[in-house]
mmCIF file of all heavy atoms in Angstrom:
data_model
loop_
_atom_site.group_PDB
_atom_site.id
_atom_site.type_symbol
_atom_site.label_atom_id
_atom_site.label_comp_id
_atom_site.label_asym_id
_atom_site.label_seq_id
_atom_site.Cartn_x
_atom_site.Cartn_y
_atom_site.Cartn_z
ATOM 1 N N VAL A 6 101.245 202.566 88.026
ATOM 2 C CA VAL A 6 100.665 202.035 86.801
ATOM 3 C C VAL A 6 99.232 201.583 87.079
ATOM 4 O O VAL A 6 98.981 200.844 88.026
ATOM 5 C CB VAL A 6 101.499 200.851 86.255
ATOM 6 C CG1 VAL A 6 100.805 200.197 85.075
ATOM 7 C CG2 VAL A 6 102.890 201.321 85.873
ATOM 8 N N VAL A 7 98.329 202.061 86.245
ATOM 9 C CA VAL A 7 96.926 201.674 86.367
ATOM 10 C C VAL A 7 96.624 200.650 85.280
ATOM 11 O O VAL A 7 96.936 200.865 84.112
ATOM 12 C CB VAL A 7 96.002 202.908 86.219
ATOM 13 C CG1 VAL A 7 94.553 202.491 86.231
ATOM 14 C CG2 VAL A 7 96.293 203.919 87.318
ATOM 15 N N ILE A 8 96.025 199.545 85.676
ATOM 16 C CA ILE A 8 95.652 198.495 84.731
ATOM 17 C C ILE A 8 94.158 198.620 84.447
ATOM 18 O O ILE A 8 93.339 198.726 85.363
ATOM 19 C CB ILE A 8 95.986 197.097 85.292
ATOM 20 C CG1 ILE A 8 97.492 196.995 85.593
ATOM 21 C CG2 ILE A 8 95.542 195.999 84.332
ATOM 22 C CD1 ILE A 8 98.398 197.191 84.384
ATOM 23 N N THR A 9 93.804 198.601 83.166
ATOM 24 C CA THR A 9 92.410 198.743 82.757
ATOM 25 C C THR A 9 91.635 197.451 82.989
ATOM 26 O O THR A 9 92.213 196.403 83.281
ATOM 27 C CB THR A 9 92.323 199.102 81.262
ATOM 28 O OG1 THR A 9 92.805 197.984 80.500
ATOM 29 C CG2 THR A 9 93.106 200.355 80.934
ATOM 30 N N TYR A 10 90.344 197.528 82.809
ATOM 31 C CA TYR A 10 89.479 196.357 82.936
ATOM 32 C C TYR A 10 89.923 195.244 81.985
ATOM 33 O O TYR A 10 89.816 194.064 82.307
ATOM 34 C CB TYR A 10 88.028 196.751 82.658
ATOM 35 C CG TYR A 10 87.068 195.606 82.834
ATOM 36 C CD1 TYR A 10 86.558 195.305 84.090
ATOM 37 C CD2 TYR A 10 86.673 194.829 81.757
ATOM 38 C CE1 TYR A 10 85.677 194.247 84.269
ATOM 39 C CE2 TYR A 10 85.803 193.769 81.928
ATOM 40 C CZ TYR A 10 85.305 193.477 83.177
ATOM 41 O OH TYR A 10 84.440 192.430 83.355
ATOM 42 N N THR A 11 90.446 195.636 80.805
ATOM 43 C CA THR A 11 90.860 194.648 79.814
ATOM 44 C C THR A 11 92.271 194.119 80.049
ATOM 45 O O THR A 11 92.771 193.317 79.270
ATOM 46 C CB THR A 11 90.772 195.246 78.393
ATOM 47 O OG1 THR A 11 91.601 196.405 78.330
ATOM 48 C CG2 THR A 11 89.340 195.594 78.021
ATOM 49 N N GLY A 12 92.940 194.610 81.114
ATOM 50 C CA GLY A 12 94.262 194.110 81.460
ATOM 51 C C GLY A 12 95.419 194.874 80.850
ATOM 52 O O GLY A 12 96.567 194.477 80.998
ATOM 53 N N ASN A 13 95.132 195.958 80.161
ATOM 54 C CA ASN A 13 96.180 196.773 79.555
ATOM 55 C C ASN A 13 96.594 197.895 80.497
ATOM 56 O O ASN A 13 95.835 198.292 81.378
ATOM 57 C CB ASN A 13 95.696 197.382 78.237
ATOM 58 C CG ASN A 13 95.360 196.333 77.220
ATOM 59 O OD1 ASN A 13 96.115 195.396 77.022
ATOM 60 N ND2 ASN A 13 94.223 196.462 76.577
ATOM 61 N N LYS A 14 97.791 198.422 80.264
ATOM 62 C CA LYS A 14 98.254 199.588 81.022
ATOM 63 C C LYS A 14 97.468 200.804 80.519
ATOM 64 O O LYS A 14 97.437 201.075 79.309
ATOM 65 C CB LYS A 14 99.747 199.795 80.811
ATOM 66 C CG LYS A 14 100.290 201.014 81.490
ATOM 67 C CD LYS A 14 101.757 201.192 81.188
ATOM 68 C CE LYS A 14 102.220 202.543 81.700
ATOM 69 N NZ LYS A 14 103.574 202.839 81.271
ATOM 70 N N ALA A 15 96.811 201.521 81.423
ATOM 71 C CA ALA A 15 96.080 202.733 81.048
ATOM 72 C C ALA A 15 97.074 203.755 80.515
ATOM 73 O O ALA A 15 98.095 204.028 81.142
ATOM 74 C CB ALA A 15 95.329 203.282 82.248
ATOM 75 N N THR A 16 96.768 204.306 79.329
ATOM 76 C CA THR A 16 97.689 205.204 78.660
ATOM 77 C C THR A 16 96.969 206.462 78.200
ATOM 78 O O THR A 16 95.985 206.381 77.455
ATOM 79 C CB THR A 16 98.325 204.504 77.442
ATOM 80 O OG1 THR A 16 98.946 203.289 77.884
ATOM 81 C CG2 THR A 16 99.341 205.385 76.759
ATOM 82 N N VAL A 17 97.473 207.618 78.654
ATOM 83 C CA VAL A 17 96.923 208.902 78.216
ATOM 84 C C VAL A 17 97.080 209.010 76.708
ATOM 85 O O VAL A 17 98.109 208.649 76.150
ATOM 86 C CB VAL A 17 97.648 210.072 78.916
ATOM 87 C CG1 VAL A 17 97.223 211.407 78.342
ATOM 88 C CG2 VAL A 17 97.393 210.023 80.416
ATOM 89 N N GLY A 18 96.028 209.466 76.027
ATOM 90 C CA GLY A 18 96.060 209.590 74.575
ATOM 91 C C GLY A 18 95.641 208.330 73.854
ATOM 92 O O GLY A 18 95.557 208.310 72.626
ATOM 93 N N ARG A 19 95.361 207.255 74.596
ATOM 94 C CA ARG A 19 94.905 206.004 73.991
ATOM 95 C C ARG A 19 93.690 205.438 74.708
ATOM 96 O O ARG A 19 92.723 205.023 74.066
ATOM 97 C CB ARG A 19 96.015 204.955 74.003
ATOM 98 C CG ARG A 19 95.580 203.649 73.312
ATOM 99 C CD ARG A 19 96.551 202.521 73.511
ATOM 100 N NE ARG A 19 96.384 201.985 74.867
ATOM 101 C CZ ARG A 19 97.330 201.362 75.534
ATOM 102 N NH1 ARG A 19 98.516 201.201 75.003
ATOM 103 N NH2 ARG A 19 97.114 200.907 76.743
ATOM 104 N N THR A 20 93.693 205.392 76.025
ATOM 105 C CA THR A 20 92.673 204.680 76.791
ATOM 106 C C THR A 20 91.411 205.512 76.995
ATOM 107 O O THR A 20 91.481 206.671 77.404
ATOM 108 C CB THR A 20 93.227 204.281 78.167
ATOM 109 O OG1 THR A 20 94.372 203.446 77.979
ATOM 110 C CG2 THR A 20 92.189 203.548 78.992
ATOM 111 N N ILE A 21 90.262 204.887 76.708
ATOM 112 C CA ILE A 21 88.974 205.472 77.085
ATOM 113 C C ILE A 21 88.169 204.431 77.850
ATOM 114 O O ILE A 21 88.344 203.224 77.667
ATOM 115 C CB ILE A 21 88.147 205.976 75.878
ATOM 116 C CG1 ILE A 21 87.914 204.868 74.853
ATOM 117 C CG2 ILE A 21 88.781 207.214 75.268
ATOM 118 C CD1 ILE A 21 86.984 205.255 73.707
ATOM 119 N N ALA A 22 87.303 204.938 78.717
ATOM 120 C CA ALA A 22 86.357 204.080 79.432
ATOM 121 C C ALA A 22 85.018 204.182 78.723
ATOM 122 O O ALA A 22 84.589 205.271 78.326
ATOM 123 C CB ALA A 22 86.234 204.529 80.886
ATOM 124 N N VAL A 23 84.356 203.050 78.562
ATOM 125 C CA VAL A 23 83.103 202.977 77.812
ATOM 126 C C VAL A 23 82.110 202.081 78.541
ATOM 127 O O VAL A 23 82.471 201.350 79.461
ATOM 128 C CB VAL A 23 83.344 202.399 76.394
ATOM 129 C CG1 VAL A 23 84.293 203.265 75.591
ATOM 130 C CG2 VAL A 23 83.866 200.963 76.456
ATOM 131 N N TYR A 30 84.708 196.320 74.285
ATOM 132 C CA TYR A 30 86.119 196.471 74.616
ATOM 133 C C TYR A 30 86.974 196.118 73.407
ATOM 134 O O TYR A 30 86.659 195.210 72.647
ATOM 135 C CB TYR A 30 86.515 195.564 75.785
ATOM 136 C CG TYR A 30 85.890 195.963 77.096
ATOM 137 C CD1 TYR A 30 85.213 195.033 77.864
ATOM 138 C CD2 TYR A 30 85.976 197.263 77.567
ATOM 139 C CE1 TYR A 30 84.634 195.384 79.076
ATOM 140 C CE2 TYR A 30 85.402 197.627 78.770
ATOM 141 C CZ TYR A 30 84.742 196.685 79.522
ATOM 142 O OH TYR A 30 84.178 197.043 80.717
ATOM 143 N N GLY A 31 88.053 196.841 73.244
ATOM 144 C CA GLY A 31 88.972 196.602 72.126
ATOM 145 C C GLY A 31 88.626 197.394 70.888
ATOM 146 O O GLY A 31 89.434 197.465 69.957
ATOM 147 N N SER A 32 87.465 198.024 70.869
ATOM 148 C CA SER A 32 87.075 198.819 69.702
ATOM 149 C C SER A 32 87.952 200.052 69.587
ATOM 150 O O SER A 32 88.317 200.662 70.588
ATOM 151 C CB SER A 32 85.614 199.269 69.817
ATOM 152 O OG SER A 32 84.743 198.167 69.853
ATOM 153 N N GLN A 33 88.276 200.413 68.357
ATOM 154 C CA GLN A 33 88.964 201.666 68.102
ATOM 155 C C GLN A 33 87.898 202.735 67.908
ATOM 156 O O GLN A 33 86.933 202.533 67.167
ATOM 157 C CB GLN A 33 89.849 201.556 66.875
ATOM 158 C CG GLN A 33 91.004 200.595 67.076
ATOM 159 C CD GLN A 33 91.919 200.564 65.879
ATOM 160 O OE1 GLN A 33 91.924 201.453 65.049
ATOM 161 N NE2 GLN A 33 92.704 199.507 65.796
ATOM 162 N N VAL A 34 88.066 203.858 68.590
ATOM 163 C CA VAL A 34 87.052 204.909 68.582
ATOM 164 C C VAL A 34 87.711 206.225 68.177
ATOM 165 O O VAL A 34 88.695 206.643 68.788
ATOM 166 C CB VAL A 34 86.410 205.055 69.980
ATOM 167 C CG1 VAL A 34 85.384 206.171 69.991
ATOM 168 C CG2 VAL A 34 85.778 203.730 70.416
ATOM 169 N N ILE A 36 87.329 210.108 68.154
ATOM 170 C CA ILE A 36 86.566 211.170 68.794
ATOM 171 C C ILE A 36 86.938 212.470 68.101
ATOM 172 O O ILE A 36 88.101 212.889 68.130
ATOM 173 C CB ILE A 36 86.881 211.249 70.304
ATOM 174 C CG1 ILE A 36 86.608 209.891 70.963
ATOM 175 C CG2 ILE A 36 86.061 212.369 70.952
ATOM 176 C CD1 ILE A 36 87.086 209.795 72.392
ATOM 177 N N TYR A 39 89.770 215.067 68.889
ATOM 178 C CA TYR A 39 90.733 214.462 69.814
ATOM 179 C C TYR A 39 91.554 213.350 69.185
ATOM 180 O O TYR A 39 92.677 213.105 69.589
ATOM 181 C CB TYR A 39 90.018 213.932 71.060
ATOM 182 C CG TYR A 39 89.344 215.027 71.837
ATOM 183 C CD1 TYR A 39 87.989 215.286 71.666
ATOM 184 C CD2 TYR A 39 90.063 215.818 72.718
ATOM 185 C CE1 TYR A 39 87.360 216.311 72.371
ATOM 186 C CE2 TYR A 39 89.441 216.843 73.432
ATOM 187 C CZ TYR A 39 88.093 217.079 73.237
ATOM 188 O OH TYR A 39 87.483 218.098 73.926
ATOM 189 N N GLY A 40 91.003 212.597 68.244
ATOM 190 C CA GLY A 40 91.740 211.533 67.575
ATOM 191 C C GLY A 40 91.266 210.140 67.947
ATOM 192 O O GLY A 40 90.147 209.952 68.416
ATOM 193 N N TRP A 41 92.152 209.155 67.702
ATOM 194 C CA TRP A 41 91.832 207.743 67.903
ATOM 195 C C TRP A 41 92.154 207.286 69.320
ATOM 196 O O TRP A 41 93.192 207.620 69.865
ATOM 197 C CB TRP A 41 92.619 206.876 66.924
ATOM 198 C CG TRP A 41 92.091 206.978 65.535
ATOM 199 C CD1 TRP A 41 92.578 207.761 64.531
ATOM 200 C CD2 TRP A 41 90.966 206.287 64.999
ATOM 201 N NE1 TRP A 41 91.816 207.595 63.400
ATOM 202 C CE2 TRP A 41 90.821 206.698 63.654
ATOM 203 C CE3 TRP A 41 90.065 205.363 65.515
ATOM 204 C CZ2 TRP A 41 89.818 206.209 62.833
ATOM 205 C CZ3 TRP A 41 89.065 204.877 64.694
ATOM 206 C CH2 TRP A 41 88.949 205.295 63.373
ATOM 207 N N TYR A 42 91.245 206.487 69.879
ATOM 208 C CA TYR A 42 91.394 205.911 71.219
ATOM 209 C C TYR A 42 90.973 204.453 71.167
ATOM 210 O O TYR A 42 90.385 204.001 70.182
ATOM 211 C CB TYR A 42 90.524 206.668 72.227
ATOM 212 C CG TYR A 42 91.067 208.044 72.528
ATOM 213 C CD1 TYR A 42 90.853 209.103 71.667
ATOM 214 C CD2 TYR A 42 91.832 208.269 73.663
ATOM 215 C CE1 TYR A 42 91.374 210.357 71.925
ATOM 216 C CE2 TYR A 42 92.353 209.518 73.939
ATOM 217 C CZ TYR A 42 92.119 210.553 73.068
ATOM 218 O OH TYR A 42 92.648 211.786 73.330
ATOM 219 N N VAL A 43 91.253 203.723 72.256
ATOM 220 C CA VAL A 43 90.870 202.311 72.349
ATOM 221 C C VAL A 43 89.986 202.131 73.576
ATOM 222 O O VAL A 43 90.306 202.597 74.671
ATOM 223 C CB VAL A 43 92.113 201.392 72.449
ATOM 224 C CG1 VAL A 43 91.690 199.933 72.551
ATOM 225 C CG2 VAL A 43 93.024 201.593 71.239
ATOM 226 N N ALA A 44 88.867 201.452 73.390
ATOM 227 C CA ALA A 44 87.938 201.149 74.485
ATOM 228 C C ALA A 44 88.563 200.054 75.343
ATOM 229 O O ALA A 44 88.553 198.891 74.972
ATOM 230 C CB ALA A 44 86.590 200.705 73.933
ATOM 231 N N GLU A 45 89.138 200.463 76.503
ATOM 232 C CA GLU A 45 89.881 199.518 77.326
ATOM 233 C C GLU A 45 89.370 199.424 78.758
ATOM 234 O O GLU A 45 89.814 198.571 79.512
ATOM 235 C CB GLU A 45 91.358 199.929 77.391
ATOM 236 C CG GLU A 45 92.045 199.883 76.058
ATOM 237 C CD GLU A 45 93.500 200.262 76.143
ATOM 238 O OE1 GLU A 45 93.843 201.303 76.739
ATOM 239 O OE2 GLU A 45 94.316 199.496 75.603
ATOM 240 N N ASP A 46 88.491 200.329 79.146
ATOM 241 C CA ASP A 46 88.117 200.379 80.550
ATOM 242 C C ASP A 46 86.641 200.739 80.685
ATOM 243 O O ASP A 46 85.967 201.084 79.717
ATOM 244 C CB ASP A 46 88.983 201.414 81.282
ATOM 245 C CG ASP A 46 89.182 201.102 82.751
ATOM 246 O OD1 ASP A 46 88.771 200.014 83.203
ATOM 247 O OD2 ASP A 46 89.746 201.945 83.458
ATOM 248 N N CYS A 47 86.151 200.631 81.921
ATOM 249 C CA CYS A 47 84.782 201.021 82.258
ATOM 250 C C CYS A 47 84.843 201.768 83.588
ATOM 251 O O CYS A 47 85.900 201.875 84.197
ATOM 252 C CB CYS A 47 83.869 199.806 82.363
ATOM 253 S SG CYS A 47 84.377 198.634 83.629
ATOM 254 N N GLY A 48 83.741 202.294 84.003
ATOM 255 C CA GLY A 48 83.727 203.008 85.278
ATOM 256 C C GLY A 48 82.304 203.216 85.735
ATOM 257 O O GLY A 48 81.358 203.104 84.948
ATOM 258 N N VAL A 51 80.340 205.726 83.756
ATOM 259 C CA VAL A 51 80.280 205.499 82.316
ATOM 260 C C VAL A 51 79.108 204.575 82.026
ATOM 261 O O VAL A 51 79.170 203.378 82.267
ATOM 262 C CB VAL A 51 81.606 204.896 81.795
ATOM 263 C CG1 VAL A 51 81.538 204.685 80.299
ATOM 264 C CG2 VAL A 51 82.764 205.789 82.162
ATOM 265 N N ILE A 56 81.540 208.486 77.146
ATOM 266 C CA ILE A 56 82.932 208.039 77.056
ATOM 267 C C ILE A 56 83.756 208.897 77.998
ATOM 268 O O ILE A 56 83.571 210.113 78.051
ATOM 269 C CB ILE A 56 83.472 208.195 75.616
ATOM 270 C CG1 ILE A 56 82.766 207.245 74.661
ATOM 271 C CG2 ILE A 56 84.990 207.971 75.575
ATOM 272 C CD1 ILE A 56 83.101 207.475 73.201
ATOM 273 N N ASP A 57 84.662 208.288 78.739
ATOM 274 C CA ASP A 57 85.637 209.028 79.547
ATOM 275 C C ASP A 57 87.016 208.840 78.944
ATOM 276 O O ASP A 57 87.473 207.704 78.766
ATOM 277 C CB ASP A 57 85.663 208.520 80.992
ATOM 278 C CG ASP A 57 84.613 209.160 81.868
ATOM 279 O OD1 ASP A 57 83.907 210.078 81.405
ATOM 280 O OD2 ASP A 57 84.494 208.742 83.029
ATOM 281 N N MET A 58 87.686 209.950 78.628
ATOM 282 C CA MET A 58 89.056 209.916 78.110
ATOM 283 C C MET A 58 90.025 210.009 79.277
ATOM 284 O O MET A 58 89.837 210.838 80.165
ATOM 285 C CB MET A 58 89.298 211.110 77.179
ATOM 286 C CG MET A 58 88.460 211.096 75.936
ATOM 287 S SD MET A 58 88.530 212.649 74.986
ATOM 288 C CE MET A 58 90.213 213.140 75.101
ATOM 289 N N LEU A 59 91.051 209.181 79.278
ATOM 290 C CA LEU A 59 92.084 209.260 80.304
ATOM 291 C C LEU A 59 92.980 210.461 80.016
ATOM 292 O O LEU A 59 93.470 210.622 78.905
ATOM 293 C CB LEU A 59 92.922 207.980 80.314
ATOM 294 C CG LEU A 59 94.063 207.933 81.322
ATOM 295 C CD1 LEU A 59 93.521 207.985 82.754
ATOM 296 C CD2 LEU A 59 94.905 206.697 81.111
ATOM 297 N N VAL A 60 93.158 211.313 81.026
ATOM 298 C CA VAL A 60 94.054 212.466 80.922
ATOM 299 C C VAL A 60 95.049 212.410 82.073
ATOM 300 O O VAL A 60 94.894 211.616 83.002
ATOM 301 C CB VAL A 60 93.268 213.800 80.926
ATOM 302 C CG1 VAL A 60 92.416 213.920 79.663
ATOM 303 C CG2 VAL A 60 92.398 213.931 82.159
ATOM 304 N N GLU A 61 96.059 213.263 82.029
ATOM 305 C CA GLU A 61 97.149 213.236 83.017
ATOM 306 C C GLU A 61 96.694 213.581 84.431
ATOM 307 O O GLU A 61 97.103 212.946 85.385
ATOM 308 C CB GLU A 61 98.258 214.209 82.612
ATOM 309 C CG GLU A 61 99.090 213.752 81.439
ATOM 310 C CD GLU A 61 100.109 212.676 81.790
ATOM 311 O OE1 GLU A 61 100.425 212.476 82.970
ATOM 312 O OE2 GLU A 61 100.581 212.028 80.853
ATOM 313 N N LEU A 69 88.899 220.183 80.505
ATOM 314 C CA LEU A 69 88.215 219.649 79.325
ATOM 315 C C LEU A 69 86.703 219.715 79.501
ATOM 316 O O LEU A 69 85.973 219.963 78.557
ATOM 317 C CB LEU A 69 88.632 218.196 79.061
ATOM 318 C CG LEU A 69 89.968 217.975 78.398
ATOM 319 C CD1 LEU A 69 90.299 216.488 78.362
ATOM 320 C CD2 LEU A 69 89.965 218.543 76.997
#
Side-chain angles (χ1 to χ4, degrees):
V6 173
V7 175
I8 301 299
T9 66
Y10 183 85
T11 58
N13 298 314
K14 177 183 171 188
T16 304
V17 172
R19 183 190 77 206
T20 301
I21 56 174
V23 299
Y30 292 129
S32 298
Q33 294 184 19
V34 178
I36 304 171
Y39 298 97
W41 287 98
Y42 288 80
V43 180
E45 296 181 310
D46 208 7
C47 60
V51 181
I56 293 172
D57 275 355
M58 296 170 39
L59 179 64
V60 294
E61 287 283 343
L69 282 173

